[in-house]
DNA sequence: GCTGTAACCTGTCGGC
DNA sequence: TGCCGACAGGTTACAG
C-alpha cells in the first residue's frame, strides 16, 4: 500500500481539485470494503462541501462542512483518482491504463463535474465517516505514535518507545503505535541508511543509534515525497501517474544486488520477519 | 500483556 | 499456452 509518502503525495495532488468543492452525487458500487460502508453515508456526503485535506499516518482526511470527516485508508492496493469529466471511453483516464473500472468502489461526483474515484482491487482499504471534533479519540487514531515528519517526534521519545519493545527492530517500526506511517518498504530503506540490522532487538538500541535511525527515516520519507512515492504494482498518483522513488531503493526488492552504501561491498539479502520480506545488507547493517 | 501468525481479497509473475 | 502456487505496499483477530 501506499505508505506515508504515497498518501501525502495523493493528498497534495487531490487538494487543488477537491478543496472548496461540493459533492453533488455519491455512487457506492461496492459497499463491502474492509468495513462495510453504511447506507446513510450517501445522504451524509451529498451536498457537503470539502474543506482542507489532511493526513494522519497512512490515513487521508477529508473534512466536510457538516462537522464530519471522511477518513480514507487505501489498504494495500487502493487508489484515489481524479477524473476531469464523466466518460466511458476506454483509456480516457489520463495515464492510468492499468485501472480496472470493476474495482471503482466509490465515486464522488463534484458539482464541478469532476469525479473522485476510489479504486481498490484487493478491498483491504476502507472509508469511515466520523465526527470531526472527536477524531483524536477515534480508535483508528487514539493509539497512533508520532508523525515522523512532525515537530512532536523526537529521538528521545522514539528511544523510550523502543525500550518497551522486545521484538526485532523491523517489527517494532512497523508497529504504528511506536511511530506512525511507516510500512515495509520505508522501514527496510531507513534501517539500511542507519546501518541497523532489522534483527536487532528494539530495546537494545542506544540513544545515538535511535538519533541516526530517526534521521534516516526522515530522509527517506522526504526524498520519497519529492519523488511522488514508490510505484511497485498498484500505486498510482491522483492523476494516474507513477511515483519514482523505487529507482532510489537501496535494499527493497534488491536481493542479490550490491549494497549501495558508500564503501560497503556487501550484498543485499532477503529474510522473512513476521510474514513480511525484509531486505538488508548483513555487512554494514549491525 | 506481549508477540507472532494467519486471514482478509485479488492480481501478477514465475515455474512447470 | 495454460495452470498452479507463491507473493504482494496493511491491519487485526486470535492463539500461544
Amino acid at each position: 500500500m501506499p505508505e506515508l509518502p504515497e498518501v501525502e503525495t495523493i493528498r497534495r495532488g487531490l487538494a487543488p481539485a477537491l478543496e472548496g468543492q461540493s459533492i453533488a452525487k455519491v455512487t457506492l458500487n461496492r459497499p463491502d470494503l474492509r468495513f462495510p460502508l453504511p447506507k446513510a453515508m450517501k445522504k451524509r456526503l451529498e451536498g457537503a462541501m470539502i474543506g482542507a485535506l489532511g493526513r494522519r499516518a497512512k490515513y487521508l482526511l477529508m473534512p466536510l462542512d457538516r462537522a464530519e470527516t471522511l477518513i480514507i485508508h487505501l489498504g494495500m492496493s487502493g487508489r484515489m483518482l481524479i477524473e476531469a469529466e464523466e466518460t466511458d471511453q476506454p483509456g480516457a483516464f489520463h495515464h492510468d491504463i492499468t485501472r480496472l473500472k470493476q474495482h471503482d468502489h466509490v465515486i464522488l461526483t463534484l458539482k464541478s463535474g469532476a469525479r473522485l474515484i476510489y479504486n481498490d482491487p484487493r478491498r483491504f482499504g476502507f472509508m469511515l465517516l466520523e465526527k470531526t471534533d472527536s477524531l483524536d479519540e477515534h480508535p483508528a487514531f487514539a493509539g497512533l505514535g508520532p508523525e515522523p515528519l512532525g515537530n512532536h517526534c523526537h529521538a528521545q521519545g522514539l528511544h523510550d518507545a523502543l525500550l518497551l519493545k522486545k521484538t526485532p527492530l523491523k517489527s517494532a517500526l512497523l508497529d504504528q503505535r511506536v511511530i506512525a506511517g511507516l510500512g515495509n518498504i520505508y522501514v527496510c530503506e531507513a534501517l539500511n541508511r542507519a546501518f541497523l540490522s532489522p534483527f536487532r532487538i528494539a530495546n537494545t538500541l542506544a540513544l545515538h543509534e535511535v538519533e541516526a535511525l530517526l534521521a534516516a527515516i526522515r530522509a527517506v520519507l522526504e526524498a520519497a515525497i519529492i519523488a511522488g512515492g514508490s510505484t511497485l504494482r498498484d500505486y498510482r498518483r491522483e492523476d494516474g501517474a507513477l511515483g519514482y522513488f523505487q529507482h532510489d531503493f537501496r535494499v527493497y526488492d534488491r536481493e542479490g544486488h550490491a549494497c549501495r552504501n558508500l564503501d560497503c561491498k556487501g550484498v543485499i539479502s532477503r529474510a522473512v520477519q513476521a510474514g513480511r520480506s525484509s531486505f538488508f545488507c548483513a555487512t554494514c547493517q549491525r
Side-chain angles (χ1 to χ4, degrees):
Chain A
M1 163 224 186
E3 301 181 30
L4 187 156
E6 288 74 31
V7 177
E8 179 61 22
T9 298
I10 290 170
R11 186 194 70 77
R12 294 180 184 184
L14 290 177
L18 297 185
E19 290 177 2
Q21 292 286 331
S22 293
I23 301 170
K25 180 183 167 191
V26 176
T27 306
L28 303 178
N29 290 329
R30 182 144 190 182
D32 58 332
L33 302 179
R34 183 177 186 88
F35 304 122
L37 297 175
K39 287 181 181 175
M41 179 177 280
K42 181 177 167 69
K43 275 190 178 177
R44 288 159 68 187
L45 287 176
E46 286 179 345
M49 181 178 288
I50 300 170
L53 298 188
R55 179 191 58 74
R56 178 75 173 96
K58 303 171 190 174
Y59 294 89
L60 186 64
L61 304 178
M62 186 189 295
L64 306 171
D65 62 351
R66 295 172 175 174
E68 291 187 307
T69 294
L70 184 62
I71 303 167
I72 302 163
H73 195 293
L74 300 176
M76 293 273 267
S77 58
R79 305 178 191 180
M80 295 295 289
L81 302 155
I82 283 286
E83 197 168 58
E85 58 187 52
E86 197 161 349
T87 172
D88 289 328
Q89 292 180 0
F93 191 76
H94 301 280
H95 315 288
D96 187 13
I97 59 174
T98 65
R99 161 176 153 256
L100 293 177
K101 290 193 174 184
Q102 69 190 73
H103 301 305
D104 288 353
H105 304 313
V106 180
I107 301 173
L108 305 185
T109 304
L110 307 179
K111 282 199 174 156
S112 66
R115 301 197 305 164
L116 175 65
I117 298 168
Y118 175 72
N119 179 285
D120 185 3
R122 292 172 72 180
R123 285 190 287 125
F124 283 2
F126 56 87
M127 289 185 179
L128 304 169
L129 191 54
E130 301 292 339
K131 296 287 182 191
T132 300
D133 59 7
S134 59
L135 275 189
D136 288 342
E137 289 87 51
H138 191 275
F141 303 115
L144 280 180
E147 286 283 327
L149 299 180
N151 295 329
H152 299 293
C153 188
H154 304 290
Q156 184 63 60
L158 180 57
H159 186 240
D160 291 344
L162 291 175
L163 281 177
L164 300 174
K165 305 291 284 185
K166 298 170 185 172
T167 56
L169 192 48
K170 168 75 182 304
S171 300
L173 294 175
L174 286 175
D175 187 339
Q176 302 298 299
R177 296 169 297 183
V178 172
I179 188 167
L182 296 182
N184 204 33
I185 291 178
Y186 296 110
V187 167
C188 290
E189 292 297 318
L191 287 174
N192 176 258
R193 284 160 171 80
F195 304 102
L196 289 168
S197 167
F199 301 102
R200 274 281 294 277
I201 300 302
N203 66 6
T204 67
L205 264 68
L207 180 57
H208 74 273
E209 291 177 304
V210 177
E211 288 170 347
L213 173 61
L214 185 55
I217 289 170
R218 286 177 168 152
V220 168
L221 294 178
E222 286 170 354
I225 289 171
I226 290 170
S230 306
T231 296
L232 299 182
R233 294 172 184 81
D234 299 317
Y235 168 68
R236 292 290 187 282
R237 293 163 63 168
E238 81 294 338
D239 59 358
L242 307 177
Y244 290 99
F245 190 67
Q246 67 276 11
H247 301 302
D248 292 325
F249 286 170
R250 294 192 187 179
V251 290
Y252 189 82
D253 205 21
R254 295 191 64 247
E255 182 182 15
H257 290 82
C259 178
R260 287 178 168 164
N261 277 335
L262 198 62
D263 297 331
C264 179
K265 293 184 169 56
V267 173
I268 304 304
S269 302
R270 173 183 174 273
V272 176
Q273 288 180 285
R276 315 289 298 278
S277 287
S278 291
F279 296 90
F280 61 99
C281 172
T283 302
C284 68
Q285 290 180 244
R286 298 292 179 175

